[in-house]
Amino acid sequence: MSKQRITTVLAVLTGATVLFFGINFILNPTSAPDGYGINPWPTGNADGYFVVKGVRDIAVGSTVLLLLALGQRRALGWVILIDAIMPLGDALAVVTHGGTLATALSVHVSAAVVVIATAVLLLTEKTPVKATEKATEKTAEKAPARA
């Protein structure tokens, strides 16, 4: 499997996972937060947080998948790298609001590592030379030099 294919699979997983989290927080707010790492979860009016988190995650996941679909792999790499701020911020929120370091590391920091690795792979991909560019190069090489 080529590096580009692996990177594509990782990018799809990155976008789809965040999209799933967002939809899950909106449609299933009673059990979606269970593995997040902060207890107790907001109740009453504060549970509007789940809608905010859900919408944020849907927007991020959709952006990742849109850039991938448009073939904007370099821009996608930068977006995914910036998106790594979210799981790192989530880890910080967990350890500073009563959650365990183990949860912060196993859930959020591990996600950030995968996201950063995906971004690095995307940003270090070589742009494939198109067939028309190769043909132009070959024609230029065969043409006699003019004085």
Side-chain angles (χ1 to χ4, degrees), residues 93-143:
V94 168
V95 296
T96 59
H97 289 85
T100 66
L101 181 60
T103 300
L105 293 173
S106 65
V107 175
H108 303 290
V109 174
S110 66
V113 168
V114 172
V115 170
I116 291 168
T118 302
V120 168
L121 287 170
L122 282 161
L123 291 170
T124 59
E125 279 184 354
K126 295 193 186 326
T127 306
V129 177
K130 295 179 181 153
T132 54
E133 292 173 4
K134 286 182 183 178
T136 304
E137 289 172 5
K138 286 183 181 180
T139 304
E141 289 172 4
K142 291 180 181 178

Side-chain angles (χ1 to χ4, degrees), residues 44-114:
N45 196 30
D47 69 1
Y49 159 80
F50 299 141
V51 175
V52 173
K53 180 178 178 358
V55 170
R56 173 196 82 167
D57 288 351
I58 290 170
V60 169
S62 298
T63 301
V64 167
L65 296 175
L66 175 66
L67 288 171
L68 185 62
L70 293 174
Q72 299 296 318
R73 298 177 73 83
R74 185 136 184 96
L76 176 59
W78 287 112
V79 166
I80 288 179
L81 185 62
I82 292 167
D83 289 348
I85 294 168
M86 289 187 307
L88 293 172
D90 292 346
L92 182 62
V94 168
V95 296
T96 59
H97 289 85
T100 66
L101 181 60
T103 300
L105 293 173
S106 65
V107 175
H108 303 290
V109 174
S110 66
V113 168
V114 172

